[in-house]
Amino acid sequence: MSIDLSKVAERNSAPATVARTHRAGKVATWADDRLGLAKLPRLMSIRKVFPDHWSFMLGEIALWSFVTLLVTGIFLTLWYDPSMAEVQYNGSYDPLRGVHMSAAYASTVEMSFDVRGGLLIRQTHHWAAHIFIAAMMIHLLRHALTGSFRKPREVNWVIGALLLLLGTIEGFLGYSLPDDLLSGTGLRAFDGFLKAVPVVGSYLSFFTFGGEFPGDQVIPRFYVFHILLVPGLLLALVTLHLILVVYHKHTQWPGPGKTEQNVVGPPFWPVYVAKATGFFLVVAGTLTVMGGLLAINNVWKFGPYDPSKVTAGSQPDWYMGWPDGLLRIIPPLETHLWGATISWNVIIPILVAPPTLLLVVAALPFIESWVTGDKREHHLLQRPREAPTRTAFMAALVTFYGVAWAAGGNDIIATQFDLSINQITYAFRVLIFLGPVLAFVVAKRWCVSLQRADVDRLLHGRETGVVVRSAEGGYTEKHLPLDEARAYTLTALERPAPLPEVEEHDTEGVPRRRVRAERLRRRLSVAMFGDNVERPTRDVLDEARHHAEEELVEVEHQIAAGPNRHGPE
């Protein structure tokens, strides 16, 4: 006989009822469901199972790039001098000999030419930073397209968004440290962005640069953030991210034997450890080869920073290109208020758009959970076609990012293709709005069409390309029934349906609360799932398979007996 401990009686004469959970208890339960603090000691098992799929390596590329960044960064700190004190360069690079420059720039040039292996490590470090951020972006995109950010991985998704933000900040800090003309141009732009902040802009600039730009404090301050604070936060969040991956168990693609309750794959030890070690060597080796063969950030070509000069055609690192593109194409919007100028053409693309986009990305799992009302745990991945609206939204987001990023090179496009920069700017102003809309429509229709194609394969089998002519002169393509494994994969996950109509009163005639919010949810769910193609039922599938097998036998008979039979007469 079991005792139900979930019900308690408040007094002897009253029946036992389900105990009410206090708000603090709900918060603790929510956190434990997602962070697993109570079960952490049981997770450290070397027999933990990890599934196999090529798309899972995207996160590992980011991880091993980060490790490469740490290792190469330790080497660079031994030779870099984070000082803006003026020195005279007397190193081995003859074109700069005798030129006055900051100690930071001089140490960077000396590291490149006079330290054995210095240029290799510098360029490997720079390439690793690019690959680290790119891999995180693609990794986040993969999670969004496959729905792996759903419960219980919402917190890990937010951690991933924060990692992308911190990685971008860390890249900008490192990009600014050489104190060459190109990085100095970026710092001058950064100074303008700070001063565009209403009311406190000038104070932020003075605090950052230690006085009027360029000051003599920004490089030492950026150096401390670059080697201590931001890497420490990155390391802590990466560690937490990996712990949550182990706790939640890795997601997997649907297939025979794979359910929401299990994980199918090789164990952590020794299979996964061997694979991960080999992949780390591949990533680190590739980055080292890139650092040795592909020149990047050749600071000696630009010379030391001089506030009176600017690098023609200067571009930020690619991950900072899309805010720069928005800055270039936005019209000159300003407001003059009480003797102050509010520069909307700087505030919107630089101070509003990036954090807004990051917040939208971080909120995606919570928005989808609210719209669908789905509170279940999900460990099987969805193919992008299974959620057409989500996939279309991500396509629109990527298109917006791509157009803004391309707009950051409007001057380069104009000079290389001999076009008018004004016409290019106007074209990007149109594309920044039209492009995402077109991408959304095309991607959604594409996903719905792929859903229909899957249903067609389930009902009629797969095409073989073999065309049979009947005795009456008609032509029929030979179809083969799908194998059991493929059919299981196509039918493993249910496709969400729109929420039902919202009633203003419950069954007892009492007016419902939050009717407007529920109606909004219903409209959004219709927009998200209203175009989904309903999967055939089990009975329909069995009947279709039986019919396909009969047709196959008939077609085989036609091939054997008809005028196009194979083999000798």
Side-chain angles (χ1 to χ4, degrees), residues 250-314:
H250 206 293
T251 53
Q252 59 186 349
W253 291 97
K258 300 176 181 179
T259 68
E260 298 281 10
Q261 288 74 41
N262 69 355
V263 181
V264 179
F268 176 76
W269 177 267
V271 179
Y272 183 78
V273 171
K275 288 183 177 182
T277 303
F279 196 48
F280 164 67
L281 296 176
V282 169
V283 173
T286 301
L287 291 172
T288 304
V289 170
M290 293 173 68
L293 299 180
L294 304 177
I296 189 171
N297 199 27
N298 300 325
V299 296
W300 55 87
K301 291 184 176 181
F302 309 129
Y305 179 63
D306 184 345
S308 65
K309 300 176 183 178
V310 66
T311 305
S314 60

Side-chain angles (χ1 to χ4, degrees), residues 540-558:
V540 173
L541 288 176
D542 291 339
E543 182 180 352
R545 187 173 186 84
H546 179 69
H547 181 68
E549 290 173 351
E550 289 182 348
E551 281 192 345
L552 181 60
V553 173
E554 182 179 350
V555 170
E556 291 288 354
H557 176 72
Q558 291 177 356

Side-chain angles (χ1 to χ4, degrees), residues 105 179-185 188 213-214 303-309:
Y105 182 67
D179 200 29
D180 60 300
L181 185 57
L182 182 60
S183 65
T185 302
R188 175 175 281 281
F213 176 84
Y305 179 63
D306 184 345
S308 65
K309 300 176 183 178

